[in-house]
Structure formats: C-alpha cells, structure tokens
Amino acid sequence: MKALLLGGISPTATSAEAFDKGDSESLFHDVLPLFENKDFVLCNLECAVTEEEKGIEKYGPCLKAPLGTAPLLKALGVTHAGLSNNHVFDFGKKGLADTRKALEAVGIAYTGVGENAEDARRDLIIEKNGEKIAVVAVCEHEYSYALPDREGCRGFDMIDSLRDVREAKKNADRVIVLYHGGKEYSAYPSPRLLKVCRAMAEEGADVILCQHSHTIGCYEEYKGCHIVYGQGNFHFVEPSFMHPTPLTAGWDHGMAVTYDTLTDEISFDFVTTDLPGIRLAQGDLLASLKKGFEERNASLLDGSWKKGWDAFVEAVAPEYLARLSEAFQKQETLREYNIVGHYLDCEAHHDVLAALFQTANQTNEK
C-alpha cells in the first residue's frame, strides 16, 4: 500500500475560518497533490474538534478546531487519524467525545484513545490488497493520557508498549508507531528517546514517527526500521506561538512522509508555512532544510547527536531553573507548585531534568 503519514494538524486562530469553510486551496496550496493516489492517509490530529469552551487545567494552550475540520480532512483524503497526543483531551471528556463523533460522522477511523487505559491500548488495523498494517499510537504522559478508570489517550509504557509492538508484529505485515513524545523544539533525541525508539524497532516496528517536538529532527534506519526523531508540524500555523529565538525557529516547517508498505521505501517532502496555510518548501529554503536534516542524520551515525542534545539542554536550562525556583518559593501559587509534578510526570521534561541535575556518579573516577 502507498501511505501518506502526516505530523501535527491543528487549526488555529489564523487558519480556523478556512478549515471551517473547507478552503483547501488556501490551506494546502501545492501540497494537495501529495494526497493523491494513496491507499491510506494517516495524520496526527493534535487538538480537539469541539465547540466546548472550558479547557482543562494544564501548562500550555488548550487547542481546539472548528467542526468543519473533519469534513475538510475527509475531502483531502485523510482516512485515519492518530489521537494519542497531549492536546486531544484539552477540553475534557466533552471535547474528546465531540472529536470522536466528528471523525465518525465523516468516516475517518481513529486510534490512540479509549474508555480507560487498557481500552486505549487497541491497535488500528488497516487491511487492503492482502496486506495488514498495524498502527500503534502512543503519547508521553502530559495531561491527556487515560487512567485505569478514565478515558483518554494511549500512554507510552516502557514495558507494555514494547510488548504491544511485539504482539502487533505477530499479526501484521508492517507496524507503524506514532510516538507523541520528545522535547519540544529539540532537533535531536534525548538519550532515553533514542533508546526507546531503537527498542521498539528491535521488537518489530517498521516505521516510528516522533511527532511532538514541533521541529524537524533527524532520521535513521535501525535494524530495518525507519525512525524519525521529530517530524515537525504539518499544518499548525500560529504566528503568536512563534518566538524570535533559535530554539523555536523550526515551528514553521515539517515533513510529510510517504511510505510504501510493500517495498518498505520511504521518502520525505518538506513543507513550510504560507499563511493561512502551508506549501511545499522550495529553492534556498528547501536546500537549507535538506542540508540540516542530512547533517543531523549523519550525527546519529557518528555519535555527535549527543552534543546537539546537550546544547539544547543548556539553552533551555534557564527556563527550567527559573520555574523550579519559583515553585519552591514560600509565596508560590498552587499553579506554580504544580509545575514540579508536570515536569516529573512527562518523560520529555524529565529528560531535561535528568541532564540538568546529574549526580556525582557521572564524574566519579574520571
């Protein structure tokens, strides 16, 4: 089968009206041909599709899309959606129910959510022309994950998720993992993320797409598995989210992945923001994106990716240290104090903390 695998789609104030009106031309420009002649198109829907107004308590924005989003995605050719991410539960149970209803109404199958933690562990199975593809959609622990007695997303687990990939491979020709994790804005994986993805590859995954970093990362083929450590945004245009810093410069760019499940061939198309939509990167921009991507890919081979991760941690250290300092002041508010729990709960934040607060064991006997 020919598949198109897309990163985060989240209508914003800049693009919501066009989504609601079904204005695919202004939203996708010359990207539209990518959707043609595909047996299935799988996207990461990184928001709730709802009219609910009350968002949940969290750090970061609560994201939602207009009800016209689902019909537009269907018209584009999207056949399946991954919902295991840190935003689909932004408007609580009502928002998640509305999202599922909206997708069901237009015939877009979805995966990565369930009535409870165990129910959410169900894989998506796509069958056509005698092929069976399993999609395992998981997210790191950042507000939306299901609990034993509450609906939500399929949370990643170091034991259960590896078992799930292994079992999926027993019953499918190919296994595609959507991993919503990794540190925002980091173009390099953390040591933990690298180990996790390679472990899933060893258990039988054929494609692993990390989709949370909002920037294009790097790619490797490891033991026959295609691993993308950061697919970048697909359609997430929001100027107010942008900050004039080197860390967030990648927000405007992403990669659409084309994958042939029969031949195992994979290719990448680079997209960039063109308000209120996106278009294919061209000219000097395309050359620059490709060059950076290839250099980061090479760093996975020679081990220099670790320097990239360390440099990223150094760059974000002041923000982390400031927030932790505020949290432990006597005059802290409950919200400021709760940032500690958030940092400890979420794997990506914990990766940064582990790098910042190393024990003496790291240097003993050196």
Side-chain angles (χ1 to χ4, degrees), residues 232-302:
N233 293 326
F234 183 64
H235 201 299
F236 203 144
V237 298
E238 181 48 82
S240 67
F241 286 176
M242 295 301 298
H243 307 284
T245 71
L247 284 178
T248 58
W251 183 280
D252 278 346
H253 315 304
M255 295 189 306
V257 176
T258 297
Y259 179 61
D260 190 317
T261 62
L262 191 60
T263 66
D264 195 39
E265 294 177 347
I266 196 167
S267 61
F268 309 103
D269 288 282
F270 295 83
V271 300
T272 188
T273 295
D274 185 6
L275 299 176
I278 61 171
R279 68 168 59 250
L280 294 175
Q282 299 178 356
D284 291 343
L285 174 60
L286 177 59
S288 175
L289 292 176
K290 283 186 174 181
K291 182 175 184 292
F293 185 54
E294 291 167 358
E295 289 175 349
R296 292 189 296 275
N297 298 348
S299 76
L300 293 173
L301 297 176
D302 65 20

Side-chain angles (χ1 to χ4, degrees), residues 138-142 155-159 161-162 179-184 186 188-200 208 210 212 220 227 229 305-306 309-310 313 343-355:
V138 294
C139 66
E140 293 184 350
H141 291 74
E142 193 167 4
F156 176 79
D157 183 88
M158 279 294 293
I159 296 175
S161 295
L162 295 182
Y179 182 95
H180 202 84
K183 185 66 186 78
E184 296 100 325
S186 176
Y188 298 90
S190 68
R192 177 199 60 84
L193 182 60
L194 188 84
K195 183 180 291 187
V196 161
C197 289
R198 288 180 174 179
M200 288 190 288
I208 302 171
C210 301
H212 180 58
E220 68 173 339
I227 308 176
Y229 300 98
W305 64 271
K306 183 62 165 53
W309 166 253
D310 290 341
V313 171
Y343 282 170
L344 294 176
D345 196 27
C346 176
E347 293 88 337
H349 290 302
H350 192 272
D351 288 345
V352 175
L353 295 180

Side-chain angles (χ1 to χ4, degrees), residues 71-87:
L72 172 62
L73 294 179
K74 181 67 175 181
L76 283 174
V78 173
T79 56
H80 302 80
L83 300 184
S84 190
N85 57 64
N86 61 312
H87 286 294

